[in-house]
Amino acid sequence: HSKDEGRNNYAFFRTEMNERVLERMQLENALRNALREEQFELHYQPQVDSANQSIVGFEALVRWHHPQQGMISPARFIPVAEETGLIVQLGDWVLNEACRQNLAWQAAGLPPIPVAVNISPLQFRQSEFAATVARVLAHTGLPPECLELELTEGVMMDAAERNIETLRRLRALGVKLSIDDFGTGYSSLAYLKRLPIDTLKIDQAFVRDVVDDTDDAAIITTIIGLANNMRLRVVAEGVENESQMRFLIAGGCGFQQGYLFSRPLPGAEFESFWRRRLSNAVNAD
Ligand code: C2E
Ligand code: MG
Ligand code: MG
Ligand code: MG
């Protein structure tokens, strides 16, 4: 009996493992296909000024419309794209599309503000990454200060000479740099001082319970103080309600992003939202 059970467990384990490997392979193939067939789309989420809620920038977030499975979340496919190297090609597409769209909006009379693009570690570590960014700017015609690159703490803190050189080159191009999900990695404060960055984005994990959890509140207050003292912009992510917003404003957090202001929206909807906000602001004057 127990021998049978062992065999069954083993068989079960093997089946489960094969299924996972198979699912991975299917996802990888589907991703390759999606790149060819252009099944990706960008959604945009505003970043607002804490003082008056005006839109000062927006983050581009990739979406995958799978013909059979519907919308697949980036949390599921970005890790696979990263492991398979497909992120380089996908990241190029995202960068181009975000810059093209931002310039198109400027051409249509909307204010010139930066679009923030998430850059994966593998993409950043390509030796030609800075050259790629320069090429995209030249090709789309977007002014460099209208592009912000969101990098992770891991990438920023990696002292490899080549990384630092890439950061310098990006800085020299005139694009803005921000650290995404700040507080979740292992930033060295001494290192932070030497990095050519503009913005810290406070991870939404700290924002979630900031009103009730005194530890999260202390962490957020500390990050805001650090950023303000270092003359860095600070953006809180994942702001969902008014009490979080009030806490952040009281703490001196300059900028906010989250469902309270808007979910990430498809381009056309984001544009309408933005125009509505602008005309309301004019009417309020
Ligand atoms: P992220 O860059 O930290 O983006 C913020 C995520 O939080 C987004 O999830 C956004 O939709 C979500 N979010 C915004 N406001 C709220 C809120 O108030 N509450 C909650 N609960 N969530 C909120 P999304 O779009 O699913 O993206 C997840 C992650 O996938 C991103 O985290 C980023 O790391 C990655 N990602 C997305 N697009 C790209 C891309 O084009 N390239 C790369 N390399 N990574 C991307
Ligand atoms: Mg981001
Ligand atoms: Mg983030
Ligand atoms: Mg995140």
Side-chain angles (χ1 to χ4, degrees):
H1 173 79
S2 84
K3 199 173 159 199
D4 268 6
E5 207 170 63
R7 195 177 294 140
N8 283 341
N9 280 345
Y10 178 65
F12 173 75
F13 178 67
R14 277 195 35 168
T15 311
E16 199 192 36
M17 214 173 68
N18 287 338
E19 264 169 22
R20 212 174 303 149
V21 170
L22 201 69
E23 203 189 275
R24 257 301 148 93
M25 279 171 57
Q26 278 166 349
L27 196 57
E28 183 183 340
N29 283 335
L31 261 177
R32 263 180 227 290
N33 190 51
L35 279 164
R36 267 195 311 271
E37 313 252 304
E38 297 196 27
Q39 294 168 0
F40 296 101
E41 180 184 311
L42 294 183
H43 285 196
Y44 300 91
Q45 187 179 37
Q47 292 179 357
V48 306
D49 190 325
S50 290
N52 53 18
Q53 295 199 14
S54 66
I55 299 176
V56 294
F58 49 92
E59 180 172 4
L61 295 154
V62 71
R63 298 291 179 259
W64 178 10
H65 295 281
H66 190 283
Q68 281 85 42
Q69 292 181 45
M71 241 269 293
I72 302 182
S73 146
R76 229 185 112 204
F77 69 84
I78 293 285
V80 180
E82 173 92 11
E83 280 166 36
T84 53
L86 290 169
I87 192 73
V88 176
Q89 207 186 327
L90 176 61
D92 273 7
W93 181 83
V94 169
L95 199 55
N96 253 295
E97 178 59 13
C99 291
R100 184 202 65 74
Q101 178 65 85
N102 195 9
L103 192 75
W105 278 329
Q106 293 182 16
L110 285 154
I113 57 175
V115 59
V117 176
N118 292 284
I119 303 298
S120 98
L122 187 71
Q123 195 185 356
F124 178 83
R125 292 194 176 103
Q126 301 294 301
S127 56
E128 70 280 19
F129 180 66
T132 299
V133 173
R135 181 169 42 73
V136 169
L137 289 171
H139 174 246
T140 58
L142 186 73
E145 66 274 15
C146 289
L147 175 63
E148 177 155 16
L149 304 178
E150 295 195 358
L151 303 163
T152 63
E153 274 177 286
V155 160
M156 285 286 191
M157 298 299 146
D158 179 347
E161 189 49 43
R162 215 174 72 183
N163 271 5
I164 295 176
E165 186 52 34
T166 301
L167 288 174
R168 275 199 211 104
R169 282 198 193 148
L170 291 170
R171 189 57 174 203
L173 287 176
V175 302
K176 295 181 154 66
L177 300 174
S178 66
I179 305 188
D180 204 356
D181 304 340
F182 187 78
T184 56
Y186 39 88
S187 290
S188 135
L189 296 184
Y191 211 82
L192 202 56
K193 186 175 91 170
R194 297 173 24 217
L195 287 173
I197 51 167
D198 305 275
T199 305
L200 297 184
K201 294 190 77 176
I202 303 175
D203 193 80
Q204 58 189 56
F206 302 119
V207 176
R208 195 168 303 128
D209 299 320
V210 72
V211 179
D212 306 307
D213 186 317
T214 52
D215 292 334
D216 286 340
I219 290 170
I220 288 205
T221 307
T222 304
I223 297 177
I224 295 171
L226 178 75
N228 287 340
N229 287 325
M230 292 180 78
R231 303 279 183 274
L232 297 172
R233 291 169 77 250
V234 57
V235 182
E237 289 193 291
V239 182
E240 293 184 351
N241 59 54
E242 303 257 341
S243 11
Q244 293 164 338
M245 179 183 80
R246 276 193 297 271
F247 179 95
L248 291 159
I249 293 175
C253 182
F255 305 94
Q256 305 185 42
Q257 180 179 344
Y259 296 167
L260 177 63
F261 311 103
S262 167
R263 290 187 172 259
L265 299 170
E269 284 174 49
F270 176 72
E271 179 178 344
S272 314
F273 176 82
W274 192 4
R275 288 192 185 280
R276 230 168 20 245
R277 270 302 178 89
L278 286 169
S279 69
N280 288 346
V282 167
N283 293 338
D285 280 347

